[in-house]
Amino acid sequence: MVENKKPEKRARGRPPVRCDDETRSMIIVAANPHFQENGFASANINLIAQAAGVSTKTLYRLFPTKADLFSSVVSDRIGQFFLTLDEAALAKMDLREGLVRLLTAYGDLALAEYTIAIYKLVVAEADRFPEIANTFHTQAIAQTNAALERWLALQADLKRLKIEDAALASGMLRGMMVMEPQRAVLLHQRQPPTPEEIAARAEICADLFLNGSRHRA
């Protein structure tokens, strides 16, 4: 005798709703290449919403203006930098190891194709949209500068480095690490450096800096 099995009943109701944080992340991921390819002025919110798989209404609820969305794109990238950097672990490293780690993380950020494209966008459109220039400066430049300044000030307090102005030293280090290769990429003279090239440059920059500022008893 064959037993007839009753078909399983499907759960009724609407499909699960994504939380706002997940939706924000999806929109940021979609907006990132769109800004790079089209610039700020020509970026199309409808197309970004479509690429993210959300309605335009939802996008505007989470990001009321295009400038808010651009700010979140930059902020998301800088958040990844700080996760990679791990300042707590950095503080426990010896002097050279810590500086190499810091410069490598900074180089990976500043010399990435994405960052250079966003920097080019900001420079090109800053006069028309000063809010995006302010966003890039406060969220990208100022925050990464502050991380390096904090580390340098800590090493000076520990008598490992002999520096009087951590901000000035930070600017010199950052320029030595990224200015020449970043400028070459912007002028289409070379491709963005590889992770291996960035790591090697970080070691050279660290040694040059430490030879001139290491605290000697």
Side-chain angles (χ1 to χ4, degrees), residues 66 120 128 135:
K66 190 192 296 188
K120 187 175 182 179
R128 293 177 61 196
T135 287

Coordinates of all heavy atoms in Angstrom, one line a residue, residues 66 120 128 135:
K66 N 23.2 63.3 -3.1 CA 24.3 62.7 -3.7 C 25.6 62.9 -2.9 O 26.5 62.0 -2.9 CB 24.5 63.2 -5.2 CG 25.4 62.4 -6.0 CD 25.8 63.2 -7.3 CE 24.6 63.4 -8.2 NZ 25.0 63.9 -9.5
K120 N 41.4 62.2 -8.3 CA 41.3 62.9 -9.6 C 39.9 63.5 -9.8 O 39.8 64.7 -10.2 CB 41.6 61.9 -10.7 CG 41.8 62.6 -12.1 CD 42.2 61.5 -13.1 CE 42.4 62.2 -14.5 NZ 42.8 61.2 -15.5
R128 N 33.3 73.3 -8.5 CA 31.9 73.3 -8.7 C 31.2 72.7 -7.4 O 30.1 73.1 -7.1 CB 31.5 72.5 -9.9 CG 31.9 73.1 -11.2 CD 31.5 72.1 -12.4 NE 30.1 71.9 -12.4 CZ 29.6 70.9 -13.1 NH1 30.4 70.0 -13.8 NH2 28.3 70.7 -13.2
T135 N 34.7 66.8 2.0 CA 34.5 65.4 2.4 C 35.8 64.6 2.3 O 36.3 63.9 3.2 CB 33.5 64.7 1.6 OG1 32.2 65.3 2.0 CG2 33.4 63.2 1.8

